[in-house]
Each structure stands twice: as C-alpha cells, then as structure tokens.
C-alpha cells in the first residue's frame, strides 16, 4: 500500500498500469472518476512520481457551472491533492457519464491531447478504477503475497495440520470490478482451480469469496469480471 497521496490499495493496480505506460513510451495518463475519486488522486500522484502528466476527468453535478466559470472545482479533499501535483482537470456531468460511458470520455480526452497538446501527444488511457486486464494483475500479485504470508505463519507456528491457519471466507469491496477479478483469479491460481496451486494451500479447500458491491448489481459485476478476466 501507499501513503495518503497514493490511495492505499489503489497503488497495486497502478504498479502494473504505469509500468505499461512507461514501456509504451507514453508521456501522460488520462483517467476518470467521481469528483472526490481516490483512484484519480492516486493516479495523479503516482504518475507524477514516474514522470507522466496526469489528466483527470471528474464526474460532478457542478460540471456545467464550472465550465461556464460560474463555479470552481475547489481545493478540498482529493481535489487538493489533484491540484497539488499539477493535474489537468476536466469535468463531466453524471448525465454525460451515463450517456457516453467512461471509456468514450477517456478516449475523447486522449484524442484531444494527441491533436492539440505538444507535451501530451502520447497519452495512456486508464479506465475507471484502473480496472482492466493489466490492472487486475495487481490483485493476482496481492493474493500471491497473501499466500507467502500464510506459508510463513504456518511454518513458524506448527506443523500440525489441525493448528494451521486457513481461510474460510475472503470479503472485499468492489466498485469497478478489477479488484474482484484479480482476487478471484489469484485465489483460483493459489488453490489449484487454475494451475497447480500454491504450496501453502495444499490439502485446503478454497475459501468462499464475497464481493460487496458499492454500486450497480450482481449481474453487472459478473459480466464485468468475465470481461476483465478474458482481457
């Protein structure tokens, strides 16, 4: 995890996303989220740390008056962090977000930068929440870390089977599906549903995973997770 500026667990996805951005020779990143998005704050801060310019699309009810100069995005909460690292901030209304979709909005800013901004001619698009196939590797890797910790605890405590630590349930929040997808894939790899499994889980049944949705409905997340896993 990172400090306040990196949004705690948000840096797990960004470790892989920004590595790809740098490998592709990108000079900037474009992402999207709510007005006080933790993901956008973390992306902006981490991007600056590796030399990329952050461009943020923030969804807010105040988008129209801000655009008309009758209001200001402000300096509170995560927006303060966004502005402190020199983010270029764009706004969209919830209606625009729902009508166009986050992907098209990100693609639109990327195309604008390629045409009009000399310093950001090669932007790297990051989806809402950092949730795509690349970002999900952050949580596949997180499960591997967890398995190493499990092995260390059990090897240090006892060799008796009945005293070994096991997991019955794993509970986590999900908003854009990337964390859930990474954990599901990671657990499947760790417990042998995909591949040979991790030595720390030998002889143990796989835990039940509980993704607590902060938005939408279960059907949306099942569909989204299937798409991300295939990605």
């Amino acid at each position: 995890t990172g400090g306040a500026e990196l949004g705690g667990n948000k840096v797990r996805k960004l470790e892989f996303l920004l590595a790809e951005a740098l490998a592709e020779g990108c000079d900037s990143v474009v992402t999207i989220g709510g007005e006080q998005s933790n993901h956008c704050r973390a992306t902006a801060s981490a991007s600056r740390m590796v030399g990329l310019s952050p461009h943020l699309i923030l969804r807010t009810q105040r988008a129209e008056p801000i655009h008309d100069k009758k209001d200001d995005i402000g300096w509170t909460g995560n927006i303060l962090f966004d502005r402190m690292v020199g983010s270029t901030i764009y706004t969209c209304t919830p209606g625009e977000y729902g009508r166009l979709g986050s992907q098209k909005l990100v693609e639109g800013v990327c195309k604008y930068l390629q045409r009009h901004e000399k310093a950001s001619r090669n932007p790297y698009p990051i989806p809402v929440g950092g949730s795509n196939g690349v970002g999900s590797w952050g949580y596949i890797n997180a499960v591997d870390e967890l398995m190493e910790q499990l092995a260390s605890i059990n090897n240090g405590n006892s060799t008796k089977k009945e005293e070994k630590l096991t997991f019955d349930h794993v509970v986590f929040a999900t908003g854009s599906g990337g964390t859930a997808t990474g954990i599901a894939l990671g657990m499947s790899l760790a417990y042998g549903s995909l591949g040979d499994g991790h030595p720390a889980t030998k002889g143990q049944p796989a835990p039940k995973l509980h993704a607590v949705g902060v938005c939408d409905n279960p059907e949306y997340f099942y569909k989204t997770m299937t798409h991300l896993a295939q990605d």
Side-chain angles (χ1 to χ4, degrees):
T1 61
E5 75 282 2
L6 291 178
N9 66 315
K10 304 295 180 183
V11 74
R12 288 192 177 275
K13 294 176 185 176
L14 290 170
E15 178 182 359
F16 289 85
L17 291 165
L18 294 181
E20 182 174 70
L22 292 172
E24 294 180 358
C26 295
D27 51 25
S28 53
V29 300
V30 179
T31 195
I32 188 168
E35 183 173 345
Q36 289 290 342
S37 168
N38 290 331
H39 160 71
C40 287
R41 175 196 65 195
T43 300
S45 299
S47 296
R48 281 297 185 198
M49 290 179 181
V50 298
L52 302 176
S53 300
H55 295 260
L56 309 178
I57 308 169
L58 302 183
R59 183 183 67 252
T60 172
Q61 297 277 6
R62 300 185 295 123
E64 290 183 358
I66 289 171
H67 181 268
D68 295 336
K69 308 298 183 183
K70 296 178 181 178
D71 198 354
D72 184 83
I73 193 68
W75 296 86
T76 61
N78 286 335
I79 292 173
L80 176 61
F81 279 99
D82 298 338
R83 300 183 84 162
M84 284 174 65
V85 298
S87 303
T88 301
I89 297 175
Y90 313 81
T91 59
C92 70
T93 65
E96 291 169 333
Y97 185 94
R99 184 173 66 256
L100 299 174
S102 61
Q103 183 176 345
K104 284 191 176 181
L105 288 167
V106 169
E107 290 173 352
V109 171
C110 286
K111 290 178 181 178
Y112 171 82
L113 295 175
Q114 290 167 344
R115 294 172 182 170
H116 302 289
E117 295 290 336
K118 293 182 179 180
S120 299
R121 286 291 176 86
N122 191 17
Y124 180 80
I126 295 180
V128 62
S131 292
N132 60 12
V134 174
S136 293
W137 277 100
Y139 278 92
I140 296 174
N141 190 54
V143 171
D144 188 62
E145 289 180 24
L146 184 62
M147 292 301 109
E148 291 299 318
Q149 293 170 7
L150 179 65
S152 178
I153 291 170
N154 285 334
N155 290 337
N157 286 346
S158 174
T159 58
K160 295 180 180 180
K161 183 178 179 181
E162 61 272 16
E163 296 182 10
K164 286 185 176 292
L165 175 66
T166 61
F167 298 124
D168 298 319
H169 300 271
V170 179
V171 184
F172 47 89
T174 185
S176 54
T179 297
T181 303
I183 290 177
L185 289 172
M187 287 293 179
S188 295
L189 290 166
Y191 283 86
S193 297
L194 298 173
D196 298 328
H198 193 283
T201 68
K202 186 176 181 180
Q204 298 180 15
K208 187 171 183 179
L209 307 184
H210 304 268
V212 182
V214 301
C215 58
D216 296 300
N217 54 55
E219 289 72 25
Y220 165 83
F221 285 111
Y222 288 132
K223 182 178 179 180
T224 298
M225 290 172 64
T226 299
H227 173 74
L228 292 177
Q230 292 171 342
D231 190 27

